[in-house]
C-alpha cells in the first residue's frame, strides 16, 4: 500500500518508490542543488528555519507523513541543529514558522529567534513538500521530498536551491532517535560545502556521538 500526500506528483514515481521498498531495499537518498549567487566569503553563521506545510489539507490524509512533518522533524531539528552546526564550525539559530505564505524578508520581523546576534546571518529555509508512506511485510517506511533554500536577507537574494529526497527506513527511526534529522543535516552541509558556500572543518560534515 502506497500513500501520497502533498503536491501532485507522478503516479509512476510513486510506484517506483513502492517497488524499491517492497523489494526490501532502502531508497537511496538523492540530492540536487544549484548555486544562484555566491556570498562574499564562506559562511560562518547561518539561521535555520523549518517551514511547515499544508500537507494534510492539500491532498489525502496520510497521518504517518503528517506526524513526521508537523511533530517529529521540527522537534528533532530544534535539538540537533545547534549541536550539528556547532560541531562543524558554524554558528546558528533555529526557529519554526507555520506561515505557509512565508517570505524570506519576514524572517527578522515575524519569526521568534533565540539569538539576536545572528539576525542578519543568511537564512536556510527547510520545507517538506510531499511524502509517501509504504507498508511492506508489516513494516512502515516513509519517503520525504524536501526543498531547501538559502537566502541573503540583506541583499534580498536567493543564494542556493536544493531538492532532497530522503528515505526513512522505519517509523522508529524518526520517533525514537536523531538519525533522520542527523542524516538530513549532514547531507545539506556536505552539499553546501561541495557548492562552495561553507567550509567544513574536515572532508565531510561530522555528527555528534
Amino acid at each position: 500500500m502506497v500513500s501520497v500526500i502533498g503536491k501532485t506528483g507522478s503516479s509512476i514515481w510513486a510506484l517506483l518508490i513502492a517497488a524499491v521498498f517492497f523489494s526490501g531495499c532502502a531508497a537511496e537518498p538523492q540530492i540536487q542543488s544549484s548555486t544562484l549567487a555566491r556570498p562574499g566569503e564562506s559562511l560562518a553563521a547561518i539561521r535555520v528555519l523549518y517551514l511547515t506545510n499544508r500537507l494534510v489539507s492539500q491532498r489525502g490524509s496520510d497521518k504517518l507523513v503528517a506526524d513526521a512533518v508537523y511533530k517529529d522533524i521540527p522537534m528533532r531539528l530544534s535539538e540537533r541543529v545547534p549541536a550539528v552546526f556547532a560541531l562543524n564550525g558554524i554558528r546558528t539559530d533555529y526557529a519554526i514558522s507555520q506561515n505557509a505564505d512565508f517570505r524570506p524578508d519576514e524572517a527578522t520581523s515575524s519569526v521568534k529567534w533565540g539569538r539576536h546576534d545572528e539576525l542578519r546571518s543568511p537564512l536556510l529555509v527547510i520545507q517538506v513538500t510531499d511524502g509517501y508512506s509504504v507498508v511492506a511485510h508489516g513494516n512502515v517506511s516513509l519517503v520525504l521530498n524536501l526543498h531547501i533554500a538559502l537566502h541573503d536577507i540583506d541583499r534580498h537574494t536567493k543564494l542556493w536551491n536544493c531538492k532532497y529526497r530522503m528515505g526513512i527506513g522505519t517509523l522508529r527511526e524518526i520517533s525514537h532517535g536523531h538519525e533522520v534529522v542527523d542524516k538530513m543535516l549532514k547531507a545539506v552541509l556536505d552539499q553546501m560545502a561541495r557548492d562552495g558556500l561553507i567550509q567544513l572543518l574536515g572532508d565531510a560534515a561530522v555528527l555528534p556521538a
Side-chain angles (χ1 to χ4, degrees):
M1 179 183 68
V2 179
S3 299
V4 181
I5 187 168
K7 296 180 180 177
T8 303
S10 167
S11 58
I12 295 177
W13 174 245
L15 292 174
L16 289 174
I17 291 291
V20 170
F21 277 99
F22 275 102
S23 68
C25 301
E28 289 295 324
Q30 299 179 14
I31 190 165
Q32 296 178 330
S33 65
S34 58
T35 302
L36 308 177
R38 292 190 177 277
E41 57 186 14
S42 295
L43 302 176
I46 298 173
R47 287 175 297 157
V48 178
L49 179 72
Y50 182 80
L51 185 60
T52 58
N53 204 358
R54 298 176 180 174
L55 293 176
V56 175
S57 64
Q58 284 182 0
R59 179 177 175 180
S61 57
D62 193 320
K63 187 177 185 300
L64 299 177
V65 175
D67 282 349
V69 172
Y70 292 123
K71 298 177 182 178
D72 297 311
I73 289 179
M75 179 186 69
R76 297 299 180 187
L77 282 174
S78 68
E79 300 167 351
R80 301 304 276 181
V81 165
V84 172
F85 275 58
L87 194 60
N88 289 279
I90 300 172
R91 303 191 312 276
T92 191
D93 197 2
Y94 173 77
I96 301 171
S97 175
Q98 297 179 344
N99 182 2
D101 301 317
F102 173 83
R103 300 192 311 271
D105 58 7
E106 299 173 344
T108 301
S109 60
S110 66
V111 178
K112 185 176 180 180
W113 299 95
R115 295 184 54 173
H116 295 287
D117 56 325
E118 303 296 354
L119 284 180
R120 306 316 303 176
S121 301
L123 178 70
L124 187 71
V125 179
I126 300 175
Q127 184 177 26
V128 179
T129 57
D130 57 61
Y132 313 86
S133 67
V134 179
V135 181
H137 308 296
N139 295 317
V140 181
S141 303
L142 300 181
V143 175
L144 300 179
N145 293 316
L146 294 91
H147 179 258
I148 305 156
L150 182 68
H151 302 267
D152 186 322
I153 303 302
D154 288 336
R155 294 164 57 190
H156 305 284
T157 301
K158 181 184 288 189
L159 302 175
W160 186 72
N161 260 331
C162 178
K163 292 183 179 180
Y164 179 34
R165 178 172 294 119
M166 181 177 67
I168 302 173
T170 64
L171 289 181
R172 182 177 179 82
E173 288 184 30
I174 193 167
S175 60
H176 296 285
H178 301 298
E179 292 89 350
V180 171
V181 294
D182 281 358
K183 178 170 69 173
M184 177 198 306
L185 294 173
K186 176 174 169 53
V188 171
L189 289 176
D190 284 340
Q191 191 67 27
M192 293 178 72
R194 283 192 290 268
D195 290 342
L197 298 170
I198 60 173
Q199 184 172 354
L200 298 172
L201 300 177
D203 294 333
V206 294
L207 298 173

